[in-house]
Amino acid sequence: MSKKWLPYELHTHTYHSDGEHSLFELAQSAKEIGLFGIAMTDHNTMSPLLECDLVEQENHIHIVRGMEWTTFFGHMLIIGITDYVDWRDLGIRDIHVGIERVHRQDGIVGIAHPFRVGSPMCTGCFWEYEITNWHDVDYIEVWSYTLPSILTSNQRAYRMWTDLLNQGYRITGVCGRDWHISSKKTLEPVAVSYLQLGTQELSADKAVVEAIRTGAVSVTMGPLLLFTIKSAANGSDFGIGDEIPLPHLDLAWEATVALDMSERADHWHLDEQKFTIVLFGNLGVMEERVIAGPVYSVSFPFQTEGLTWLRAELLGVVANCRTMIAFTNPIYFQAANPAAI
């Protein structure tokens, strides 16, 4: 089955909670900025989804069913559920009980903005729930708000995600704008999560859930960042979110990182410049290359010894800041003797 990378916003609100727009207006704005879909994640309610089918038809945009648990101990995003899932009986040590309720509906859970300033500025925004098994967490919103890479709270979230990957947890990193207001009032760069979806399932919530669950996600404030690894010996190739099986690991490999400058090109702006591509994994920085147009692609050989995961990062200047512009989720490497976690 062929697959395609499609841009989604995974954290949105309407006036059914504390947003300023209706679901129709939100979908209309999302279409205007080149998004293929949005996750509807109002605070503690799924009521805007009562008009979901009509809004989808009129705006030709995919709306993923969800909500945001908004509590005193943290905010958790819920995506891909069919029925409301309650959280009000959960204490600070009970979050896994709630997660199990979501997973029973084949939905997924993600920690929203875990290090955003909490009370009294934003009640419950700072994550305090006790996680005893990180395998239960499907994704983390490592970038939140606009121009996200420069925010200290997001940098902490990105480091936490990296630490969890190093411990062997396969948790997906995404961005979420936490979209409350009209696009026309936002002047800063907006990041989006590109999901790799099968072309026969483009409007299926289950396809979005599976893409996030498996880590087939690339996040960017500009061009789509692509990352593949190919065996020089037998031509086997693997992409973002894939696992390279153990029998292949002794082969010689070539990594390719590329920028697709055409995706949503009318909705972001970067000055002409030289970009830096970084390959980063559990062993630290594996490769660093400078690329520039007209060919925004680079390939190089590398060895897999000692690697358990590897991702690509794009650095450059955006909004007069030298910062990270994009990152991919990892490609994973199967361990010979995986440690019990």
Side-chain angles (χ1 to χ4, degrees), residues 66-331:
M67 63 184 295
E68 181 180 8
W69 283 349
T70 308
T71 83
F72 288 114
F73 308 124
H75 295 189
M76 177 164 273
L77 298 166
I78 316 298
I79 289 180
I81 55 176
T82 54
D83 300 311
Y84 181 88
V85 182
D86 207 348
W87 56 267
R88 289 171 295 177
D89 59 334
L90 303 178
I92 196 169
R93 297 180 179 87
D94 303 323
I95 192 63
H96 291 279
V97 175
I99 292 173
E100 173 59 26
R101 293 171 185 169
V102 176
H103 285 167
R104 279 202 297 266
Q105 288 195 35
D106 294 324
I108 54 176
V109 299
I111 298 176
H113 44 66
F115 295 108
R116 188 177 293 179
V117 176
S119 299
M121 294 180 65
C122 180
T123 301
C125 280
F126 188 89
W127 185 262
E128 295 183 82
Y129 281 108
E130 294 184 11
I131 301 291
T132 58
N133 184 0
W134 281 96
H135 288 298
D136 285 351
V137 177
D138 300 295
Y139 67 101
I140 298 173
E141 190 179 76
V142 297
W143 276 8
S144 178
Y145 205 57
T146 55
L147 191 50
S149 61
I150 70 168
L151 299 180
T152 302
S153 58
N154 290 332
Q155 293 166 3
R156 289 185 66 187
Y158 199 81
R159 287 196 298 269
M160 179 180 76
W161 176 48
T162 301
D163 289 342
L164 289 167
L165 293 173
N166 284 338
Q167 294 173 47
Y169 297 104
R170 297 189 178 183
I171 300 174
T172 301
V174 307
C175 68
R177 178 174 169 180
D178 205 352
W179 195 352
H180 288 79
I181 63 174
S182 168
S183 290
K184 295 175 182 178
K185 296 182 180 179
T186 302
L187 300 178
E188 293 181 329
V190 173
V192 299
S193 296
Y194 278 86
L195 312 182
Q196 191 178 40
L197 305 180
T199 54
Q200 295 177 351
E201 306 175 303
L202 292 185
S203 295
D205 284 11
K206 65 179 182 179
V208 168
V209 165
E210 186 62 17
I212 297 173
R213 182 183 284 131
T214 59
V217 180
S218 184
V219 174
T220 183
M221 289 187 281
L224 170 60
L225 180 62
L226 299 172
F227 173 38
T228 56
I229 294 177
K230 185 174 183 179
S231 165
N234 62 16
S236 300
D237 62 322
F238 300 87
I240 299 166
D242 287 342
E243 178 186 63
I244 298 179
L246 188 62
H248 292 265
L249 294 185
D250 58 348
L251 302 175
W253 292 94
E254 181 181 74
T256 298
V257 181
L259 304 181
D260 186 337
M261 307 296 285
S262 65
E263 287 288 342
R264 296 184 65 251
D266 293 338
H267 305 290
W268 53 267
H269 172 76
L270 295 173
D271 292 335
E272 187 174 344
Q273 60 184 284
K274 293 181 179 179
F275 298 100
T276 301
I277 293 289
V278 177
L279 281 191
F280 189 92
N282 60 294
L283 300 179
V285 176
M286 298 295 295
E287 193 74 37
E288 189 169 316
R289 298 288 181 93
V290 174
I291 63 171
V295 180
Y296 292 97
S297 178
V298 61
S299 298
F300 36 82
F302 76 101
Q303 301 296 320
T304 63
E305 183 177 0
L307 282 174
T308 58
W309 62 271
L310 192 65
R311 69 178 175 231
E313 300 173 346
L314 176 68
L315 308 181
V317 177
V318 56
N320 297 316
C321 300
R322 172 76 179 177
T323 185
M324 189 183 297
I325 296 172
F327 65 88
T328 72
N329 274 265
I331 295 174

Side-chain angles (χ1 to χ4, degrees), residues 23 27 38 40 46-59 61-65 205:
L23 180 59
I38 57 174
M40 183 64 262
M46 297 178 70
S47 56
L49 291 164
L50 293 172
E51 54 182 343
C52 177
D53 291 343
L54 178 61
V55 172
E56 280 189 320
Q57 292 169 11
E58 293 189 0
N59 290 280
I61 194 165
H62 181 203
I63 300 172
V64 185
R65 298 176 65 86
D205 284 11

